[in-house]
Amino acid sequence: MIRFERVAKRYPPGVDALRALDLEIDRGELVFLTGHSGAGKSTLLKLILLLERPTAGRIWVGGENINQLPDHRIPYYRRHIGAVFQDHRLLTDRTVFDNVALPLWVAGVSPNEVGKRVRAALDLVGLLEREKANPAVLSSGQQQRVGIARAMVNKPSILIADEPTGNLDPALSYDMMSLFERLNAMGTTMLIATHEQSLIDQMGGRKVELARGKIMQPVTEGDFSYV
């Protein structure tokens, strides 16, 4: 589903965010991306979303080499990927319904189908009764759920999340991760960047730890190396 082959990303003035990184994520897999601040987690997600281009190496998503994807095809490519961010990025001059519907309107989905999909997504995250509310009146946890509904409304095959529980208390963080687990059980490939080690320990899925732009792999018990 997703494959990184010797991928590097260098930012000016010569800062290496990723260094010759190899990673493969299978269809339907749940992967937690961990590591200290600056380890390369956000950069890796931005490369999948084509918010950034790699300096070297190749990235395959769904069998397609996205390095070669021209700029005019990027919006269509992104329709198949849902993204959840720590800061929600909701429009406070629109209702909850409108925020979730936005990707469908951009894609030209019919009004009747928009209504069905938006309400199904809001029902999934437990916010169907708040569809007419302004996001500004919702709690931080509810706003994050609106963001998840928006990410899922286009039925993406891949969902990525960058520190989605960073502003939530432990109880809400666990609820959020449980929701991601449910979405993964429905067949969505999930890649979640998080520093919440205690939550990862409670969940299923694979942990990929980054350090200095490379993946850490255990060599022997208590010992790690960079690959």
Side-chain angles (χ1 to χ4, degrees):
M1 169 59 77
I2 301 172
R3 187 167 78 250
F4 280 60
E5 297 178 349
R6 308 294 290 172
V7 172
K9 177 62 181 180
R10 174 170 288 185
Y11 293 105
V15 177
D16 291 317
L18 295 177
R19 300 183 295 129
L21 183 142
D22 292 314
L23 174 64
E24 188 159 354
I25 298 171
D26 294 332
R27 187 179 302 275
E29 191 173 7
L30 171 61
V31 174
F32 292 102
L33 195 62
T34 70
H36 59 79
S37 178
K41 302 187 301 295
S42 293
T43 295
L44 191 153
L45 298 183
K46 288 177 181 178
L47 290 175
I48 296 173
L49 279 170
L50 283 178
L51 295 173
E52 301 278 0
R53 297 275 192 172
T55 306
R58 294 188 297 178
I59 303 172
W60 299 81
V61 177
E64 182 174 24
N65 181 356
I66 65 171
N67 297 42
Q68 300 175 353
L69 203 64
D71 289 347
H72 72 270
R73 285 194 56 206
I74 291 177
Y76 178 79
Y77 161 77
R78 288 181 182 152
R79 292 181 189 178
H80 305 286
I81 303 176
V84 179
F85 303 97
Q86 181 177 346
D87 59 1
H88 315 313
R89 302 187 184 184
L90 301 178
L91 302 175
T92 55
D93 62 340
R94 304 288 184 91
T95 65
V96 165
F97 182 99
D98 290 343
N99 270 272
V100 177
L102 185 58
L104 299 177
W105 288 334
V106 171
V109 176
S110 69
N112 284 344
E113 185 66 15
V114 167
K116 292 176 183 178
R117 289 201 198 178
V118 170
R119 292 186 177 96
L122 287 174
D123 189 38
L124 181 66
V125 300
L127 287 176
L128 183 56
E129 76 284 357
R130 305 307 303 272
E131 67 171 86
K132 296 181 180 179
N134 186 295
V137 306
L138 302 181
S139 68
S140 182
Q142 289 173 325
Q143 289 178 11
Q144 191 65 294
R145 287 176 179 269
V146 174
I148 294 172
R150 182 180 58 191
M152 289 301 301
V153 74
N154 223 10
K155 301 179 181 178
S157 55
I158 299 169
L159 190 144
I160 65 176
D162 193 2
E163 298 288 356
T165 61
N167 295 324
L168 305 180
D169 62 37
L172 286 175
S173 295
Y174 182 77
D175 287 345
M176 196 66 58
M177 288 296 191
S178 297
L179 178 56
F180 285 139
E181 195 172 40
R182 286 174 55 203
L183 294 173
N184 175 247
M186 296 167 63
T188 306
T189 304
M190 309 280 296
L191 181 56
I192 304 170
T194 180
H195 64 279
E196 302 269 6
Q197 185 60 52
S198 60
L199 286 174
I200 296 173
D201 292 341
Q202 298 177 58
M203 309 285 288
R206 173 163 58 110
K207 184 175 79 169
V208 174
E209 185 172 0
L210 290 181
R212 296 182 293 183
K214 295 182 72 70
I215 295 175
M216 291 186 66
Q217 294 284 5
V219 178
T220 59
E221 186 173 354
D223 186 20
F224 286 84
S225 67
Y226 302 106
V227 298

